[in-house]
Amino acid sequence: MKKIKLLSLCVIVIILVSVLVIFSNAQDKKQLTFMMISRNIADPFHAIIANGAKNVCDELGVRFILKDSNTNLTTQLNLIDSAITMGVDGVAINAVDQKGVVPGIKALNDAGIPVVGFDCIAEGGKMIGAIGIDNYKVAQTGAVIMGKLLEEKYKGNIPSDGVILNIQGMMSILIAQERSNGFTDYIEKHYPQLKIASAQGNFNPTDANRVTSDLLTRYGNKVIGINLCTGCMADGVAAAVETSGYSLKDIIFVDNGNFPIDTKLIEEGKLDSSVVIPCSPQGILSMKILYWYVNGMTDKLPVPGKLLIEEGAIWSPATVIKGVVGPVIQENCSLLCPQDVPITDPILLANEIIALEK
């Protein structure tokens, strides 16, 4: 009888241990949750980034939560508080205000939640990585093609009284500052005889239309070129030119980003060139960095000085630099549409947007 009782006790112990082991393994393999806090999901550029993030999370078996700041700093800080309360496993954030969001980044640091930045990167706190582009260099790529096309058009005799309109983004945002400076620095150095007239289009076609109209009223047919911070404002600029009685076919017009309106204008012969900017890879790489970090895959994490190469990827080769908050991956942005990439290529933002809408 004692042997039977002892055997029964051993069986019970084994069952309990097995249950504990299974429970422990289940705990170890709990589903990860990553939150992406977008600056403005209504902007197609940010929607495509979010879609790329969601797709890679589905592949990795990670729960993906998307939150929209609606371009409001207070909303963004509240969303950060929500992420901390929820106890998510990682946060990717596109800063509404690169300085104003810093207290939120530090709060995530204090909570032990890893942070990745993308597009507009916070200027304080600590991040395990960030993904963006060298906006100064992007703008210089546009300036180079602007100069080349002007030289071709005027056969080397560019009018000395020519004016180039530089339609900026919202200049309180670093991206807009860097793109404006990159373009103007190059043109002023290589074409000092030209006048650059700048005005803020604020990343929307309405404001871009207004300031372009004002500048055309002021400079008239002396305008020989237009540089646009980002293609999301292109329809406003195009409408302003036509309403003012001029034709974009007579003006060298370049921009950045390859939005659907860019494709339309290129087809119509009104937009001469657009710098290709990788979009969905920002979301993909954001989630991958969080996943690698949480799972201890440190060999895959970005390291300053390292060159990231992925065959066939639009963002490759990418360089990793030392940023204020941590290592920053700078995607390759040296390609032009339609000069290097045809408007039918699926890697373009315009075609990603069309595919997402379908």
Side-chain angles (χ1 to χ4, degrees), residues 208-262:
N209 178 279
R210 174 179 52 79
V211 298
T212 302
S213 295
D214 291 344
L215 291 172
L216 284 168
T217 298
R218 181 174 180 181
Y219 295 105
N221 58 14
K222 290 185 178 180
V223 175
I224 61 174
I226 299 176
N227 172 64
L228 186 57
C229 176
T230 175
C232 67
M233 301 184 284
D235 49 350
V237 171
V241 172
E242 292 173 4
T243 302
S244 299
Y246 300 101
S247 172
L248 277 174
K249 292 184 179 181
D250 298 326
I251 300 171
I252 301 300
F253 184 25
V254 302
D255 74 4
N256 308 291
N258 312 109
F259 287 79
I261 183 62
D262 292 330

Side-chain angles (χ1 to χ4, degrees), residues 263-282:
T263 297
K264 179 176 180 293
L265 292 174
I266 289 172
E267 288 178 323
E268 294 174 351
K270 297 177 180 178
L271 179 64
D272 297 282
S273 188
S274 183
V275 180
V276 178
I277 298 178
C279 186
S280 56
Q282 292 200 34

